[in-house]
Amino acid sequence: MSTTENKYFTYIITTHQDKHESLPYANITATSDEIPTTTPMVSSSDPPHKKVFSVKSPVRHVAFVKVHKAASTSIQNIFYRYGYNHDLAVVQPRGRTGLPWQREVTRDRFYPPPPGKAKFDIMCVYATYSRKAFDQLLPRDSVYVAIVREPFKQFASSLNYYHRLKVSAIPGPNPVRSFLENAQKSSMAKPTAFNTQSRDLGFPANLLSSSYDKVRFIDYLHQLDNEIDLVMVVERFDESLILMRRLLNWDLKDIVTGNLNSRAMPSRFHFSPTEEQIFKKIVHYDYALYDFFNKKLEENIAQAPDFHEELIYFRQLKRKYCSFCLMNQRNEKDVLWIEKSRWNEKFSVTNTDCELLFINERSFSLLLKAKMGHNEGISRS
């Protein structure tokens, strides 16, 4: 077996065929103060949900607010893998992969944490955000992360996934436009299909069905900004992952994602600028939500040191990682080795890593339940 090197990086795939590839940027070195590494600590003098960050160990207590059809299952997989690999207690609902949005978040709706633990380490299942309710399940020092998506794109994905049969049954060449026009005429933007991101992030559902209350919602956005440490944006997905990695002081290997939970769009479903303009006349809360946190994300990126170097390296690493996992001729004993960089320790990618990267949500949920000793779970054997 030989090793291919270049100016920056040594990258090895150890397989039965002895394949080797190179990836730039990996042996760039950095002093400890060049990349912020943060673990939250709560100070008694701080506001209730704000944290003071200091250089410490990786964050182990995390809440991820899972927003429907906003790449949330891919992010959830990150937290499931981290919890599984580090033997952490991950919140799991009884009999489901999440709670319906109308359902109140209470401890009895979830399996208990393992013996010896009063609370969980990670929560990343569907549950309407409520800081008071989440605090019942997680330690006080937990870091909170959420995600939003451009509203019309999120609506299209949501309609295809949750309302596919209902909309498909509408006669005519453009059922999506008919669906939107009916909603506009009735002046009822029900939170089952509209403003669902604001709903998932805890704004009262009854207010989402009434006229837009801008002042009240802006106040709520500032409340969310105070309570949630990072709101990611789907349209800046990789950039969001980098910010999350720095916030949690994790390794790059921990934030690699695969494509999960996607579905082809029916040929009769059209989402043209015409449909988008109708949609914008109906939906106000989600656009305000998205604009607010997209601006926040851009500000965070602009202030982050060495951000674009890490972004370039991460995209190359992720491409190699996923390509290795999807190789048709990959043997179960094949291993991909990635050398140390300023953003990651040296690590290997095994067959187990690949399985966990692309496992579906339901199967991973059962796996985690089994690891915590709950009967509904299954073993990996």
Side-chain angles (χ1 to χ4, degrees):
M1 181 182 71
S2 61
T3 302
T4 300
E5 297 191 24
N6 65 14
K7 178 180 178 182
Y8 301 105
F9 189 68
T10 302
Y11 186 93
I12 308 171
I13 301 178
T14 305
T15 73
H16 293 288
Q17 293 79 30
D18 286 339
K19 297 180 181 178
H20 314 287
E21 299 187 48
S22 297
L23 183 67
Y25 289 107
N27 74 352
I28 301 173
T29 58
T31 58
S32 59
D33 60 349
E34 285 183 310
I35 300 294
T37 54
T38 55
T39 292
M41 298 188 300
V42 180
S43 167
S44 59
S45 62
D46 296 321
H49 301 302
K50 280 295 181 184
K51 302 178 181 68
V52 177
F53 292 95
S54 66
V55 177
K56 212 176 177 184
S57 57
V59 172
R60 298 299 174 95
H61 299 152
V62 185
F64 172 58
V65 185
K66 198 170 184 229
V67 173
H68 287 79
K69 308 316 297 177
S72 286
T73 300
S74 294
I75 301 297
Q76 179 192 57
N77 178 269
I78 289 174
F79 292 114
Y80 272 4
R81 293 195 330 259
Y82 195 87
Y84 184 85
N85 290 329
H86 293 83
D87 295 318
L88 303 179
V90 183
V91 172
Q92 289 298 306
R94 295 182 182 273
R96 306 179 64 96
T97 55
L99 300 185
W101 65 269
Q102 310 98 319
R103 196 72 57 86
E104 184 181 1
V105 179
T106 56
R107 286 191 70 121
D108 63 307
R109 301 191 189 282
F110 304 94
Y111 284 100
K117 275 186 171 288
K119 294 189 176 183
F120 293 91
D121 300 303
I122 294 175
M123 181 171 179
C124 56
V125 297
Y126 279 129
T128 301
Y129 174 70
S130 162
R131 186 55 181 255
K132 182 179 179 181
F134 280 38
D135 280 346
Q136 296 176 20
L137 300 167
L138 296 165
R140 187 167 177 256
D141 66 350
S142 297
V143 170
Y144 277 69
V145 179
I147 192 166
V148 295
R149 185 179 184 182
E150 194 283 319
F152 190 59
K153 293 177 182 176
Q154 189 266 351
F155 167 75
S157 181
S158 180
L159 205 69
N160 181 38
Y161 200 87
Y162 298 108
H163 306 281
R164 187 186 185 110
L165 294 178
K166 178 181 178 180
V167 177
S168 294
I170 299 174
N174 196 329
V176 172
R177 186 176 302 178
S178 298
F179 179 81
L180 288 168
E181 289 173 343
N182 289 337
Q184 186 179 24
K185 290 175 184 177
S186 65
S187 299
M188 287 293 289
K190 295 182 179 180
T192 53
F194 301 100
N195 293 307
T196 59
Q197 298 182 82
S198 300
R199 177 203 72 194
D200 289 346
L201 283 164
F203 193 70
N206 62 307
L207 298 179
L208 293 173
S209 298
S210 57
S211 58
Y212 179 46
D213 189 338
K214 181 177 180 180
V215 174
R216 184 167 183 172
F217 192 62
I218 292 299
D219 286 343
Y220 188 71
L221 291 178
H222 287 289
Q223 178 186 329
L224 287 178
D225 188 38
N226 182 57
E227 294 179 358
I228 299 177
D229 300 288
L230 173 66
V231 177
M232 306 169 72
V233 175
V234 172
E235 285 67 35
R236 301 297 297 274
F237 191 70
D238 289 343
E239 292 90 338
S240 295
L241 288 174
I242 297 299
L243 290 176
M244 186 182 80
R245 184 204 72 76
R246 295 184 176 198
L247 175 67
L248 300 178
N249 193 21
W250 285 6
D251 200 283
L252 278 181
K253 69 176 182 180
D254 300 316
I255 64 168
V256 173
T257 59
N259 185 21
L260 298 171
N261 212 20
S262 60
R263 175 184 287 186
M265 193 74 68
S267 59
R268 291 177 65 236
F269 282 23
H270 304 294
F271 296 92
S272 72
T274 301
E275 284 76 49
E276 185 174 10
Q277 289 306 310
I278 301 172
F279 177 77
K280 286 182 175 180
K281 294 176 182 178
I282 301 171
V283 173
H284 301 287
Y285 289 100
D286 273 8
Y287 275 107
L289 173 77
Y290 180 79
D291 291 343
F292 181 89
F293 284 110
N294 187 46
K295 181 180 179 182
K296 287 282 182 181
L297 187 88
E298 294 296 340
E299 291 172 353
N300 287 336
I301 292 172
Q303 296 169 8
D306 302 322
F307 186 86
H308 293 287
E309 284 185 273
E310 182 176 354
L311 179 63
I312 291 170
Y313 172 70
F314 172 63
R315 284 173 169 166
Q316 293 171 335
L317 183 152
K318 183 172 71 170
R319 187 163 53 248
K320 296 293 185 181
Y321 191 126
C322 292
S323 295
F324 169 76
C325 288
L326 296 172
M327 282 195 311
N328 292 329
Q329 303 300 319
R330 182 170 56 84
N331 187 287
E332 287 187 2
K333 296 182 179 180
D334 291 347
V335 176
L336 169 68
W337 282 98
I338 296 184
E339 296 296 322
K340 181 178 179 179
S341 78
R342 76 165 77 172
W343 305 289
N344 62 275
E345 296 298 324
K346 180 178 180 179
F347 69 94
S348 63
V349 182
T350 66
N351 187 64
T352 298
D353 294 320
C354 293
E355 288 179 352
L356 294 179
L357 183 66
F358 290 104
I359 190 173
N360 66 64
E361 178 182 5
R362 174 64 175 166
S363 296
F364 214 150
S365 176
L366 292 173
L367 192 61
L368 289 165
K369 289 172 184 176
K371 194 166 189 178
M372 290 192 293
H374 301 307
N375 292 332
E376 187 188 348
I378 58 173
S379 66
R380 295 192 74 249
S381 57

